[in-house]
Amino acid sequence: MSDGLLPKGYTFHELEPHWYDFWVKQGFFQAKVESPEPPYTIVIPPPNVTGQLHMGHALNNTLQDILCRYKRMKGFDVLWVPGTDHAGIATQNVVERELSHEGLSRHELGREKFLERVWIWREKYGGIIINQLKRLGASCDWSRERFTMDEGLSAAVRQVFVSLYREGLIYRGRRMINWCPRCMTALANIEVEGEELDSHLYHIRYPLVNGQGSLVVATTRPETMLGDTAVAVHPDDPRYRNFVGEKVLLPLAKREIPVIGDAYVDREFGTGALKITPAHDFNDFDIGRKHQLDVVQVIGEDGTMSQEAGSYAGLDRFACRKRVLEDLEKEGLLVKVEPYRHRVGHCYRCKKVVEPSLSLQWFVDTRPLADVAMDAVRTGKTRIVPVKWEKDYFNWLENVEDWCISRQIWWGHRIPAWYCQECGHLMVEMEAPSACAGCGSGRLEQDADVLDTWFSSALWPFSTLGWPEDTADVKKYYPTSVLVTGFDILFFWVARMMMMGLHFKKEVPFRDVYVHALVRDAQGQKMSKSKGNVIDPLVVMDRFGTDAFRFTLTALAVQGRDVKLSEDRIEGYRHFVNKIWNAARLVLMNLEGLNDLVDIPQKLDSLAHRWILSRLRQVSLEVDEALEQYHFNQYAHALYHFLWHEYCDWYLEMAKADFYGEDPERKALARSVAVRVLERILLLLNPVMPFVTEEIWQKLPQTSGSIMEASLPEPEPRWRDEDAEEKMDVLMAVITGIRNVRGEMNVPPATRVEVVCLCEEDSSRRILDEYASTVTDLAKLAGLKVGLVGEMQKPRMAASTVTRRVEVYVILEGILDFESEARRLEKELTRVEQEFSITQRKLSNEDFLGRAPQEVVEKEREKGARLGEKLEKLRGHYERLKTLKT
RNA sequence: GGGCGGAUAGCUCAGCUGGGAGAGCAUCGGCCUUACAAGCCGAGGGUCGCAGGUUCGAGCCCUGUUCCGCCCACCA
């Protein structure tokens, strides 16, 4: 498999598509339902068919892919179900816009022809986002790709609708709903986004019919006064108490309407008199019902004024507002206009102001379903991670209102309800009935409305597996293991999947819900086209490679914190990809033409090998822990640090001596350990960086096939080696100490110097003796003398430091600059003195000694002793320097 | 109005059950050392938002407070 050398650079442009195609062809992404392996299941949050891959998708799917690839390596039968959502309103809007370019409207085309057009559009563009997910490397089981309007999923929708209807959990009723005059449909409450706007509060005078004065009401929507059917005051309000029961003359409309008393009215707000428009306000509707008021609908479906608005009929609602104000002004009834900032509901699809409206719609009685959904989380059947989202989940479900599920659009699942044109009988059935169950008439008409997109999404975890059929997939893969999603659809989607899953499967849809953050720009601003701060994932992948991009998202994916992304960060992590590549190059270079790899022996003598294996084991454990806990950033950082600053900076540097040395046995062992560790690093990194790890894997000797076929071994307990880690710490500290002195004393790297190390302990002396050549290589020495303190003469012309109970003298015969060495030592002395005095203060504190745990006190004592010793030695060095100088 | 999150180095952020303030980037100095200048070796830089409290000990716990962000809510 190995052809030795890696090319100088990693060319992701060619390699990424190459390996992705290879994986798909090999069927590595396919779940094996008949396999005995335990299932690990994720259903993708289906992107809208109209979607283009944005940063949110990229983060969401990178995290899912990491989990899937990791679990696959650990021996699970992984199923990641992909698919897209038909996105009712969004898609209809897109196709309507396309039509309008041809000068057509959907109404001109007619329902059937329009739907044909949408399907054509879907054929043409529906695959875009899917291909973009592939570009991202998503290891979905494409053989199981689903679409919410597939035949199977549509059957599930009908089944659920009919069942809930028969159970009395779906009903049809005339209610106040939010109406979008642009999209011309009802919306569910959560589909309305409240946005704060600078507006005005208009004070309008309503004269009493009896001529005995007037009432002034305050409103933000003066045009709705045309639909007023009462004025309400607080029954205990001394200002207005006497008006209750009287009538006022509604200006402009010239209708007489009653003054009613209702405790709902806030005496403090506005004028304390409230105009009541039951047809266009949720509260007014309730009050209207309580007082049996007339309902006058003055705003039509398209946002223009209705016939009821009299002379204002046909005007756009906002034009009407202007006219109403002008007319009131003329009549001297506009008392006051004050600036007022308040929240106005906007359609979440088209962002236009919605109108509360009275309308006949279908609803889900959510309460019973919501209670079960709450219980499942309360009892831990589903775990929400991070837990803080549980609060939002509960809060929403506790206050949830009935869900308006009918939409007056054409693209979507048609409501399976038929009305008899003869007797008006309503039938809700899976399939179109042929005759009226009431009167037998064949003149039946199906309800014109379609279902809310989120209705079918709510079934996604089981409808995609084949439900209502009792398929093998349903049996094996439900409940799913985890749902990975953004918090923005916690209510829209997650809560409703919980309700539907529990109701129809009697089992939660997922064990875990991992809620990740939003991706923002470098300044923390939400990315939006209008702000022009959008970073396009496709552009990023093109520039920096998919692996670098994925790694960046992962490294930044901290629980509970938004991801602030900038191209600089991605560029930084591209360097990491490069680092892996070059580490692999080094290792492979030294394998070229040789095939002497050996198994790692049970007992190793070499400190470097023992150390790196011990560290590798530790990092493997950290990785596993991090991924199990969904701490994606920790996963990324652990590997980043290990590969770069342990494997490359220390281990490979030390191994070079063996690589280039003459001893064939040492050579073979070093090569073998280097390769084994590299293999393991590749495996651990593979979930986040699938492409580059595959490419390198393929070049390694003794690996067969794809990295996707490899399994990740358990971290070997026998590799744990505290002794090696301690010894390496000594070695690294001494080497760093020498480098430090060299750097500060401006000794050029090319200049090799003599070093003398005086050790306090025999153990350190032995380590330094044994690894003298390592120290010499890595610290660029001409020679190294090691001895115990007292055994050996302290060198004269030397810069010095103390570390790990080792006195390090860098001999600078003839080039020692006394002044700068003195300054350097003074600086170090000051620092150590400060640290030392802190520990001394603690150790002389009776309370500390008495109350702190023994081990903490002991630790402090050791630290004090260490610092004291170090301080003493440094002082000695400083004194000697002064005498030497003179 | 209610709730939540954040405030730690110049920037972006880690910091788990209280016990030696960390990383990456940026900055400064030195290096083309035969894997990598997309690199190597060093260095500097912090009153952990502010004020109290608990504790032998607080970035971490409690109270208050300021600023920023988000979510929810029918005061017109």
Side-chain angles (χ1 to χ4, degrees):
Chain A
M1 191 54 75
S2 164
D3 60 357
L5 251 153
L6 287 178
K8 179 121 176 117
Y10 168 57
T11 49
F12 61 83
H13 277 117
E14 300 92 74
L15 291 169
E16 286 176 6
H18 168 75
W19 287 123
Y20 197 87
D21 290 346
F22 172 74
W23 296 327
V24 170
K25 277 197 196 95
Q26 297 293 312
F28 292 150
F29 299 165
Q30 280 182 36
K32 302 177 287 278
V33 67
E34 70 291 343
S35 82
E37 293 160 358
Y40 185 84
T41 316
I42 297 183
V43 289
I44 202 170
N48 290 350
V49 271
T50 52
Q52 296 276 327
L53 192 79
H54 56 60
M55 281 298 166
H57 295 126
L59 173 65
N60 180 247
N61 289 290
T62 296
L63 300 184
Q64 291 176 78
D65 199 39
I66 288 170
L67 295 172
C68 287
R69 288 177 184 268
Y70 188 69
K71 291 290 176 174
R72 223 175 259 128
M73 252 183 344
K74 290 202 18 167
F76 287 84
D77 173 28
V78 171
L79 170 58
W80 184 9
V81 183
T84 47
D85 192 285
H86 68 278
I89 300 173
T91 308
Q92 174 154 325
N93 285 351
V94 168
V95 178
E96 279 194 279
R97 210 171 307 135
E98 197 182 73
L99 280 177
S100 81
H101 292 150
E102 302 166 24
L104 281 169
S105 77
R106 72 176 155 114
H107 299 283
E108 286 165 324
L109 216 56
R111 185 165 191 148
E112 207 169 310
K113 280 268 184 319
F114 178 74
L115 287 179
E116 273 173 35
R117 279 291 295 256
V118 183
W119 279 106
I120 290 167
W121 185 93
R122 188 251 170 187
E123 275 319 303
K124 206 164 153 195
Y125 301 108
I128 289 178
I129 186 115
I130 293 296
N131 286 326
Q132 292 170 334
L133 287 173
K134 291 177 177 172
R135 176 84 191 281
L136 187 68
S139 63
C140 303
D141 184 346
W142 299 110
S143 71
R144 285 175 167 87
E145 184 182 338
R146 297 289 185 266
F147 178 56
T148 47
M149 295 251 292
D150 280 351
E151 185 40 49
L153 275 70
S154 301
V157 165
R158 286 196 301 275
Q159 168 88 40
V160 164
F161 188 95
V162 172
S163 305
L164 289 177
Y165 177 77
R166 294 194 176 145
E167 294 170 61
L169 291 171
I170 280 182
Y171 65 92
R172 191 170 187 239
R174 184 173 287 276
R175 297 285 176 100
M176 280 306 284
I177 46 91
N178 290 290
W179 182 270
C180 176
R182 215 299 307 159
C183 301
M184 297 263 277
T185 179
L187 298 171
N189 295 352
I190 52 171
E191 291 172 315
V192 177
E193 295 172 345
E195 199 196 328
E196 288 241 323
L197 288 181
D198 283 315
S199 173
H200 301 278
L201 191 59
Y202 303 96
H203 294 244
I204 305 167
R205 187 180 306 281
Y206 287 13
L208 280 165
V209 170
N210 65 13
Q212 311 267 311
S214 62
L215 275 171
V216 176
V217 300
T219 181
T220 55
R221 297 189 295 156
E223 70 281 7
T224 62
M225 70 177 286
L226 300 167
D228 283 3
T229 53
V231 172
V233 296
H234 197 284
D236 301 333
D237 192 331
R239 294 172 295 177
Y240 305 127
R241 209 164 29 206
N242 298 334
F243 293 89
V244 176
E246 296 291 332
K247 286 194 152 89
V248 292
L249 182 67
L250 182 64
L252 310 182
K254 307 289 182 215
R255 279 200 326 266
E256 289 186 10
I257 56 174
V259 179
I260 58 172
D262 196 297
Y264 167 78
V265 178
D266 180 350
R267 279 167 282 187
E268 309 297 319
F269 189 89
T271 60
L274 173 63
K275 63 190 268 317
I276 302 295
T277 324
H280 298 293
D281 186 279
F282 282 85
N283 296 310
D284 291 9
F285 178 72
D286 290 342
I287 293 171
R289 216 161 36 177
K290 210 161 119 194
H291 297 267
Q292 289 153 357
L293 298 175
D294 291 339
V295 178
V296 179
Q297 199 140 1
V298 290
I299 303 175
E301 292 184 341
D302 59 354
T304 63
M305 304 308 288
S306 73
Q307 290 310 308
E308 297 277 8
S311 62
Y312 300 93
L315 277 179
D316 174 79
R317 53 193 165 145
F318 297 114
C320 176
R321 176 176 301 178
K322 230 174 129 191
R323 277 276 296 280
V324 163
L325 289 168
E326 284 165 11
D327 293 347
L328 285 170
E329 181 91 68
K330 269 182 224 153
E331 297 191 22
L333 296 171
L334 187 57
V335 179
K336 189 162 86 171
V337 180
E338 48 182 331
Y340 186 60
R341 194 172 167 79
H342 70 135
R343 284 169 68 95
V344 180
H346 292 72
C347 170
Y348 84 133
R349 281 294 168 219
C350 73
K351 312 296 176 193
K352 294 284 187 299
V353 174
V354 299
E355 291 294 335
S357 209
L358 189 60
S359 178
L360 184 59
Q361 302 287 345
W362 290 90
F363 296 88
V364 172
D365 176 8
T366 315
R367 182 79 269 139
L369 300 168
D371 288 338
V372 178
M374 281 194 283
D375 274 347
V377 172
R378 210 173 276 128
T379 56
K381 292 193 183 85
T382 289
R383 191 167 66 113
I384 298 180
V385 182
V387 273
K388 69 163 179 165
W389 294 109
E390 279 189 8
K391 204 172 239 177
D392 290 68
Y393 175 84
F394 287 131
N395 188 44
W396 187 73
L397 285 172
E398 266 160 26
N399 301 305
V400 73
E401 285 169 34
D402 284 0
W403 174 16
C404 176
I405 50 171
S406 41
R407 297 288 176 276
Q408 287 64 51
I409 57 172
W410 290 345
W411 175 242
H413 298 101
R414 190 97 176 244
I415 291 179
W418 285 263
Y419 307 101
C420 175
Q421 299 303 294
E422 299 287 343
C423 71
H425 183 67
L426 163 65
M427 281 169 285
V428 172
E429 303 288 343
M430 286 285 290
E431 304 298 336
S434 53
C436 174
C439 69
S441 162
R443 284 188 55 217
L444 300 174
E445 223 164 83
Q446 185 168 7
D447 195 300
D449 293 349
V450 300
L451 287 164
D452 181 1
T453 293
W454 298 100
F455 192 89
S456 53
S457 322
L459 319 180
W460 188 250
F462 51 92
S463 63
T464 52
L465 298 177
W467 188 92
E469 302 299 320
D470 191 19
T471 61
D473 277 8
V474 173
K475 281 198 193 105
K476 180 161 185 182
Y477 301 115
Y478 192 95
T480 68
S481 308
V482 60
L483 180 81
V484 179
T485 186
F487 58 79
D488 48 334
I489 49 177
L490 193 60
F491 310 143
F492 278 101
W493 194 45
V494 180
R496 285 156 174 180
M497 283 191 287
M498 289 291 286
M499 296 191 241
M500 293 302 191
L502 282 158
H503 191 76
F504 286 96
K505 292 290 301 162
K506 306 294 170 215
E507 174 65 283
V508 293
F510 13 77
R511 298 290 175 213
D512 290 350
V513 177
Y514 176 66
V515 181
H516 63 248
L518 244 47
V519 182
R520 297 171 178 279
D521 75 1
Q523 278 71 45
Q525 299 284 309
K526 215 166 174 171
M527 288 188 192
S528 74
K529 277 183 196 151
S530 55
K531 282 188 207 143
N533 62 348
V534 174
I535 307 178
D536 184 345
L538 297 162
V539 172
V540 165
M541 287 189 271
D542 205 49
R543 280 188 56 196
F544 302 107
T546 301
D547 287 327
F549 176 51
R550 289 169 55 119
F551 194 86
T552 307
L553 291 172
T554 308
L556 299 182
V558 179
Q559 281 191 11
R561 193 132 172 169
D562 282 343
V563 175
K564 285 188 200 161
L565 191 72
S566 69
E567 296 208 351
D568 290 351
R569 304 300 291 257
I570 306 165
E571 189 171 0
Y573 286 117
R574 184 184 53 168
H575 300 171
F576 180 59
V577 177
N578 191 246
K579 192 73 184 177
I580 303 164
W581 185 257
N582 281 298
R585 278 188 76 209
L586 172 67
V587 172
L588 287 168
M589 248 173 212
N590 286 289
L591 294 172
E592 204 181 3
L594 296 164
N595 204 7
D596 57 356
L597 289 191
V598 295
D599 287 336
I600 296 171
Q602 288 291 325
K603 201 174 162 305
L604 277 167
D605 296 324
S606 159
L607 181 59
H609 300 331
R610 286 167 55 200
W611 173 76
I612 199 68
L613 290 172
S614 184
R615 293 295 309 135
L616 173 62
R617 175 178 172 279
Q618 186 54 39
V619 169
S620 305
L621 292 173
E622 280 169 30
V623 161
D624 195 65
E625 170 80 6
L627 287 181
E628 289 301 328
Q629 305 289 327
Y630 306 107
H631 288 145
F632 293 97
N633 63 319
Q634 288 177 13
Y635 158 66
H637 286 304
L639 287 169
Y640 181 97
H641 185 266
F642 177 70
L643 172 73
W644 200 312
H645 298 300
E646 296 189 302
Y647 184 69
C648 289
D649 287 354
W650 290 101
Y651 176 73
L652 287 182
E653 289 306 323
M654 287 171 76
K656 277 178 183 172
D658 289 345
F659 289 167
Y660 305 144
E662 296 303 318
D663 185 332
E665 245 175 70
R666 290 179 68 94
K667 207 179 249 192
L669 183 63
R671 284 192 186 114
S672 306
V673 176
V675 170
R676 293 286 171 258
V677 175
L678 178 62
E679 274 172 13
R680 196 65 69 86
I681 290 171
L682 292 175
L683 286 172
L684 292 170
L685 275 173
N686 175 257
V688 61
M689 295 188 162
F691 296 106
V692 71
T693 50
E694 175 74 287
E695 175 64 15
I696 297 169
W697 184 268
Q698 297 280 340
K699 306 280 184 177
L700 291 179
Q702 297 188 1
T703 53
S704 56
S706 164
I707 193 168
M708 287 204 65
E709 291 172 285
S711 60
L712 181 70
E714 288 292 314
E716 283 79 348
R718 68 184 168 95
W719 287 353
R720 184 190 155 98
D721 193 336
E722 280 179 42
D723 180 58
E725 294 202 26
E726 272 167 35
K727 285 179 174 160
M728 263 303 280
D729 283 348
V730 172
L731 218 50
M732 290 190 292
V734 169
I735 291 166
T736 304
I738 298 169
R739 285 170 173 172
N740 189 321
V741 169
R742 292 182 58 126
E744 295 215 2
M745 297 305 288
N746 285 316
V747 181
T751 307
R752 292 197 165 253
V753 289
E754 295 279 344
V755 163
V756 171
C757 287
L758 298 183
C759 306
E760 200 67 38
E761 292 144 327
D762 193 46
S763 58
S764 336
R765 186 186 61 81
R766 283 208 309 271
I767 296 163
L768 291 172
D769 260 339
E770 190 176 348
Y771 293 95
S773 63
T774 301
V775 179
T776 305
D777 283 352
L778 298 191
K780 296 268 186 275
L781 304 184
L784 175 67
K785 288 201 184 76
V786 184
L788 287 173
V789 174
E791 252 181 29
M792 204 182 262
Q793 193 94 74
K794 291 180 182 178
R796 289 169 58 82
M797 303 296 274
S800 61
T801 189
V802 180
T803 181
R804 288 264 162 183
R805 312 198 77 206
V806 178
E807 291 179 69
V808 177
Y809 296 87
V810 178
I811 298 173
L812 300 171
E813 204 76 52
I815 52 172
L816 180 64
D817 173 358
F818 287 98
E819 295 304 325
S820 53
E821 171 64 356
R823 254 178 293 152
R824 200 182 61 79
L825 279 174
E826 278 160 20
K827 209 173 65 186
E828 203 173 345
L829 266 170
T830 315
R831 206 170 42 213
V832 178
E833 269 164 2
Q834 272 169 5
E835 279 187 63
F836 182 66
S837 70
I838 291 170
T839 60
Q840 287 314 102
R841 207 179 309 143
K842 274 193 183 178
L843 289 169
S844 57
N845 182 343
E846 287 302 321
D847 286 328
F848 174 72
L849 296 175
R851 294 180 192 247
Q854 265 316 300
E855 61 204 52
V856 174
V857 175
E858 201 41 50
K859 233 169 116 186
E860 202 63 29
R861 279 220 177 88
E862 278 167 26
K863 185 178 163 192
R866 203 172 65 234
L867 285 171
E869 190 187 310
K870 182 167 180 173
L871 192 57
E872 201 183 313
K873 286 185 199 280
L874 282 173
R875 280 187 182 136
H877 292 185
Y878 186 61
E879 292 307 316
R880 267 184 81 241
L881 189 72
K882 284 208 284 200
T883 45
L884 283 172
K885 189 181 166 191
T886 52

